[in-house]
Amino acid sequence: ILETVLAQAQSDWMTEESVDFSLVLELDIEQESIVILKFEKDNPSGLEENEDYAQISITITPEDKDEESINVKIFFPNDKINSEMLDCSLVFPVSRQIPETLAIARASLDELFDGPTDEELDEGYFTNIPEGVEIQSLSIEESVAYADFNTKLEEQVGGSCRVSSIRAQIEETLKQFDSVESVVISIDGRTEDILQP
């Protein structure tokens, strides 16, 4: 499995008719490759009789054109700007230049998880997000970003201040985009009892 993503319906899905859907799939391909796209039906019931899928084989080739870049904002706490740390949810933007991509929200989170640069560290920026955090899924529906991460996000995380800062870093990085008004964070699909102080 190279990548797993969620497809979004482009119209009312409460119908027995077929509906259009869309997804963005980015693969790091260095040479022409044959891959299989497998589309699995959503099956909230978990019942075997409701399972269904279709698959097609396609050939993909890497892009030859030079990559264009875009600027995004990444949010970190800063112990020079907010020296007394009275409000742990205060985070401040730094600018990053990333290769142009349709999956700009995911790319921004990847930058966030890389942490501050040496120059940013000298300026007082730091991160409260643990190392090894990975995005398991990210979708935006009706102005809500649903971001699911692996369990590294809550490993050795203690204290209400650090938890508040972690949430703020992720939320503000995603809310820089006009399509996102609020963020739902989950870990392995769990939204309750996560990132507890």
Side-chain angles (χ1 to χ4, degrees):
I1 297 176
L2 299 178
E3 186 67 78
T4 301
V5 298
L6 292 175
Q8 291 183 297
Q10 300 300 293
S11 58
D12 183 13
W13 56 272
M14 295 292 288
T15 174
E16 294 184 359
E17 302 296 324
S18 296
V19 297
D20 291 336
F21 63 86
S22 68
L23 58 87
V24 176
L25 180 61
E26 292 199 352
L27 300 176
D28 185 14
I29 300 296
E30 297 181 356
Q31 60 185 11
E32 185 174 292
S33 305
I34 297 175
V35 300
I36 295 175
L37 293 180
K38 182 176 181 180
F39 301 93
E40 293 187 359
K41 176 184 175 183
D42 191 21
N43 182 18
S45 69
L47 299 175
E48 188 174 339
E49 58 266 28
N50 291 334
E51 294 179 357
D52 198 9
Y53 72 90
Q55 63 184 33
I56 58 174
S57 175
I58 63 171
T59 301
I60 55 177
T61 56
E63 292 184 344
D64 293 330
K65 66 177 184 179
D66 293 334
E67 285 188 328
E68 296 183 6
S69 60
I70 51 178
N71 286 317
V72 296
K73 291 183 288 188
I74 310 300
F75 287 78
F76 296 115
N78 186 302
D79 57 13
K80 291 184 179 178
I81 301 174
N82 184 25
S83 57
E84 296 183 8
M85 297 299 289
L86 296 178
D87 184 353
C88 297
S89 67
L90 280 179
V91 289
F92 306 91
V94 299
S95 181
R96 292 284 176 84
Q97 198 169 54
I98 63 173
E100 188 171 16
T101 173
L102 292 175
I104 188 172
R106 175 182 285 264
S108 299
L109 285 181
D110 286 336
E111 282 291 318
L112 174 67
F113 297 155
D114 284 343
T117 63
D118 290 340
E119 182 179 348
E120 290 163 354
L121 289 170
D122 290 340
E123 294 172 354
Y125 294 99
F126 64 97
T127 185
N128 279 305
I129 296 174
E131 291 185 6
V133 175
E134 295 179 355
I135 306 167
Q136 300 194 134
S137 67
L138 175 62
S139 62
I140 301 172
E141 302 172 22
E142 298 180 351
S143 300
V144 180
Y146 297 89
D148 187 66
F149 305 99
N150 62 355
T151 55
K152 291 287 186 182
L153 186 62
E154 59 183 353
E155 280 188 8
Q156 299 179 348
V157 174
S160 59
C161 185
R162 185 173 182 191
V163 167
S164 176
S165 181
I166 290 172
R167 285 190 177 276
Q169 286 186 247
I170 293 171
E171 289 173 357
E172 293 306 313
T173 297
L174 290 173
K175 286 165 68 176
Q176 73 180 286
F177 304 110
D178 293 338
S179 59
V180 178
E181 293 181 3
S182 61
V183 180
V184 175
I185 297 172
S186 61
I187 296 174
D188 280 347
R190 295 181 294 112
T191 56
E192 297 180 3
D193 301 324
I194 64 168
L195 295 176
Q196 296 296 313

